Amino acid sequence: MQAAENNIGQLVVRRHVRAQRERVWRKQDLDPLHHGNWQEQEAWINRKDWTPKDVLELFYDHDVIDCIAENTIRNARQHGNHYFTVTADEIRVHLAILYQSGYVQLPR
């Protein structure tokens, strides 16, 4: 959103509206040349030496962990806990414990 002042000095907010394009869907097979070699990908994913840490890092890379830590601190501060801190390593340990223990919250 952009803000501009008009002649009277009041703040006027203008919204940019994107033109909606009509989508045309085609029913066709995907071109295998643009999606890589599936056999190489299968060999990579079927490794036998996966550790729990390797599997966890498939889903939670460093950027995701940092984002979770930042937003956890932000959420705590929004709820009045201004002294709460957490590091990315602590988030990693917490997720690893949940993953390793197989913790699943079931509905009551």
Side-chain angles (χ1 to χ4, degrees):
M1 293 171 50
Q2 284 184 331
E5 289 188 22
N6 65 9
N7 296 347
I8 304 173
Q10 296 175 341
L11 189 61
V12 177
V13 177
R14 284 188 251 164
R15 294 184 182 189
H16 292 283
V17 179
R18 275 193 231 170
Q20 293 290 328
R21 292 183 297 167
E22 180 147 347
R23 297 179 190 251
V24 179
W25 298 95
R26 293 176 290 189
K27 203 170 203 179
Q28 69 182 31
D29 289 335
L30 296 175
D31 184 10
L33 297 176
H34 298 296
H35 297 287
N37 186 348
W38 291 103
Q39 290 155 348
E40 289 176 10
Q41 290 180 6
E42 285 181 19
W44 172 79
I45 201 73
N46 288 331
R47 285 185 2 199
K48 301 293 183 203
D49 60 342
W50 287 99
T51 64
K53 180 180 179 276
D54 293 335
V55 174
L56 191 65
E57 286 179 348
L58 283 174
F59 298 101
Y60 299 104
D61 65 353
H62 295 289
D63 293 334
V64 172
I65 298 291
D66 291 340
C67 181
I68 291 171
E70 285 176 24
N71 286 303
T72 301
I73 294 169
R74 182 176 295 136
N75 186 41
R77 293 198 175 135
Q78 286 175 352
H79 288 88
N81 190 350
H82 298 284
Y83 301 107
F84 178 81
T85 61
V86 67
T87 64
D89 288 334
E90 291 170 339
I91 295 290
R92 264 188 212 91
V93 168
H94 178 74
L95 290 173
I97 290 170
L98 293 178
Y99 174 75
Q100 191 69 22
S101 66
Y103 177 78
V104 177
Q105 187 172 6
L106 299 174
R108 294 179 184 209

